[in-house]
Amino acid sequence: MDPITSRLEPLFGSFPEAVVFLSCGQAVYANETGAQLLQSQSCPMDLLFAMAEHPGGSMEIALGQESYRVTVSPFDSGDLLILRPLPKAEEKRHPFSNSVYRMRECLSNLNAVQWRMRRVLEEKKMSGDLTQDLANQSRLIYQMLRLTRQAELTQELNDKTFPREEGFDLALVCQGMAEETAWLADLAGVQFTYASNVKNLAFQGSKSLLTQMLLALVSNGVRAAGKDGTVEMKLHAESGRCVISLRDSGVGIPEDRLATLFSGEAPEEIPRPGEGAGLGLYNAQRIAALHGGVLVAQSGQDGGASLVVSLPIVPPASVPARNNPGYDNLGGYSPVLIELSDVLPWQAFVPSNKDE
């Protein structure tokens, strides 16, 4: 028995919780429960090392079908991780019906009628100060489209009516979303940056669902950062896994909110502007799990928070030569503009000449 094991085994060998000791880039000790967890495919080592970078704190993670409360403590020349299993939350089924499809159609038609009225007013030189009023009305329509899409997505996940899997370039999807988010976030006073260690990443999965997951992460980061804040988005692919992370410069996640962040519960009975309906990260975690991955939230000790998704890279049999956008279920509207609609100023909803 090596010295480290001889010291830790009497202390933690009988623990019912999983205990893992990390040192020098390796897992040098694990009790019986921890060893079983490490041997399972649901517990990637890179995730444990990422959590060990935040000693002195605790966080919730989902590994496979189980959820854990993880505490990280400095111990000699390494870090001691204790993973306490959490009771399974009762599955929530939100009472959304197929009427959301009809609602989206009506909102799309309303938006089209609104801008036809705008053109008539401009032709008659009667628009005057109505530009801001019309833009505010359009912003409200986008907010309703956002809630409608969240309802649709929740129902799809509840009913297990998932969009088909396909081969696509995940790096291009991330880059495209980041580029659009950067200029929209700038309108809200948020500096958004993106970095990746790969230009292309062939990936097999549901492009529609993963796009919705990315939208939820981006949206959460911009909302949390607030005016004059910053958001850093990164994509890192290595050794058969890809990690997508978003770090914001906001106030962090309160301990009581961290416990319910992925529960599907809104922080208020009636969500305030900028808070949403509580479904974004709830669905994002479910989408990550459907692709064999995990979504973790971390709150920094000095403020700010990070959302980290770790996904196994499943190479597709073939990737389209062009990045096929797939079925558009948003009526032609920008999904990023819809997702950020309640944190953007009215100027973001004034159409340019090319939009008319």
Side-chain angles (χ1 to χ4, degrees), residues 80-325:
L80 194 70
L81 279 66
I82 300 179
L83 295 86
R84 295 180 172 86
L86 297 173
K88 287 189 176 182
E90 183 179 348
E91 184 177 356
K92 299 179 181 295
R93 292 186 59 84
H94 294 268
F96 299 122
S97 70
N98 289 330
S99 61
V100 293
Y101 293 94
R102 179 60 179 161
M103 180 179 177
R104 185 187 65 237
E105 181 182 10
C106 292
L107 289 172
S108 300
N109 292 337
L110 175 60
N111 203 36
V113 171
Q114 181 197 66
W115 289 110
R116 282 201 299 270
M117 291 172 58
R118 174 180 176 270
R119 285 195 292 269
V120 171
L121 291 171
E122 287 182 340
E123 291 172 359
K124 296 182 178 295
K125 302 186 183 302
M126 297 173 60
S127 60
D129 296 330
L130 289 177
T131 299
Q132 182 173 346
D133 293 334
L134 289 170
N136 280 327
Q137 290 181 29
S138 184
R139 176 169 56 182
L140 177 60
I141 291 172
Y142 274 72
Q143 292 174 24
M144 296 176 72
L145 283 168
R146 176 174 177 265
L147 295 175
T148 299
R149 178 56 194 139
Q150 287 185 343
E152 289 178 325
L153 179 60
T154 304
Q155 182 172 317
E156 289 171 3
L157 293 172
N158 285 344
D159 296 343
K160 298 180 170 53
T161 54
F162 309 133
R164 67 181 178 87
E165 291 193 348
E166 59 185 315
F168 65 97
D169 193 322
L170 182 59
L172 288 184
V173 172
C174 290
Q175 181 180 351
M177 183 172 298
E179 289 175 353
E180 184 173 2
T181 301
W183 75 265
L184 285 174
D186 186 62
L187 294 176
V190 177
Q191 181 183 3
F192 189 97
T193 59
Y194 174 72
S196 174
N197 73 328
V198 292
K199 290 185 178 180
N200 301 97
L201 180 58
F203 196 90
Q204 178 77 18
S206 171
K207 182 179 177 182
S208 173
L209 288 181
L210 288 172
T211 298
Q212 290 296 322
M213 181 192 74
L214 292 173
L215 282 171
L217 303 184
V218 165
S219 172
N220 185 84
V222 173
R223 293 166 195 277
K227 186 175 176 59
D228 299 325
T230 60
V231 180
E232 299 177 355
M233 178 178 178
K234 295 181 180 180
L235 168 65
H236 187 88
E238 187 177 7
S239 303
R241 294 194 76 86
C242 67
V243 176
I244 303 169
S245 63
L246 280 98
R247 177 167 181 80
D248 65 73
S249 61
V251 298
I253 306 172
E255 185 70 20
D256 58 341
R257 181 61 182 140
L258 189 62
T260 59
L261 194 63
F262 302 114
S263 67
E265 298 176 358
E268 300 278 343
E269 288 186 7
I270 301 177
R272 295 172 294 187
E275 287 185 340
L279 295 176
L281 295 181
Y282 169 65
N283 286 330
Q285 186 186 56
R286 300 168 78 188
I287 292 170
L290 282 172
H291 289 81
V294 292
L295 170 57
V296 178
Q298 299 173 341
S299 188
Q301 295 180 344
D302 300 324
S306 297
L307 290 171
V308 183
V309 177
S310 177
L311 299 170
I313 300 174
V314 181
S318 63
V319 179
R322 301 182 65 180
N323 215 22
N324 181 9

Side-chain angles (χ1 to χ4, degrees), residues 66-83:
E66 304 296 332
S67 297
Y68 297 85
R69 165 78 63 176
V70 184
T71 57
V72 183
S73 304
F75 189 91
D76 288 352
S77 59
D79 297 287
L80 194 70
L81 279 66
I82 300 179
L83 295 86

